[in-house]
């Protein structure tokens, strides 16, 4: 089953890379939306010349929006990346990889399904090993 363990390691590498890309994208969105919202808040204060209560409400709304953006775009991918929160499992990752690589298709999903079967006979283990060997050269992290 060493080939199957290799496939599982490649799937884990894919999910780490997937969440790392999600984190980088989230960081860029957080910065872009945060700066845009900051300019909107500055513009509202400049145009309306608010009193101290209005400025406090603008400050609180800015803090709340920035907190939400931080949680949504930065903390959530970090939770998935460090497995503090359940993210995509191997089946969903295999479907994403199957959509990217036409030669994989549903083979990876079927391989995971076979490996999770409770009644593992010698024939089933040989089939898992053979299917793992055929998918060994495919770089899942490139998906």
């Amino acid at each position: 089953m060493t080939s199957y363990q290799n496939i599982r390691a490649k799937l884990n590498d894919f999910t780490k890379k997937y969440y790392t890309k999600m984190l980088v994208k989230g960081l860029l969105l957080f910065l872009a939306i945060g700066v845009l919202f900051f300019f909107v808040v500055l513009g509202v204060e400049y145009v309306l010349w608010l009193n101290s209560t209005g400025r406090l409400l603008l400050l609180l709304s800015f803090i709340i929006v920035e907190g939400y953006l931080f949680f949504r775009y930065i903390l959530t991918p970090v939770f998935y990346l460090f497995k503090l929160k359940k993210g995509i499992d191997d089946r969903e990752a295999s479907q994403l990889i199957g959509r990217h690589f036409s030669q994989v298709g549903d083979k990876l999903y079927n391989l995971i399904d076979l490996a999770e079967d409770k009644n593992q006979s010698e024939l089933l283990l040989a089939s898992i090993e053979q299917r793992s060997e055929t998918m060994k050269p495919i770089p899942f992290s490139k998906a």
Side-chain angles (χ1 to χ4, degrees), residues 121-136:
S121 64
E122 289 294 322
L123 184 61
L124 182 64
L125 292 174
S127 175
I128 290 170
E129 189 69 25
Q130 182 182 13
R131 290 175 189 224
S132 298
E133 284 294 326
T134 60
M135 284 185 265
K136 196 173 187 177

Side-chain angles (χ1 to χ4, degrees), residues 37 41 53-67:
F37 188 68
V41 167
T53 306
R55 288 182 187 157
L56 177 66
L57 290 176
L58 274 179
L59 176 68
L60 291 177
S61 68
F62 179 74
I63 290 172
I64 289 170
V65 168
E66 287 298 312

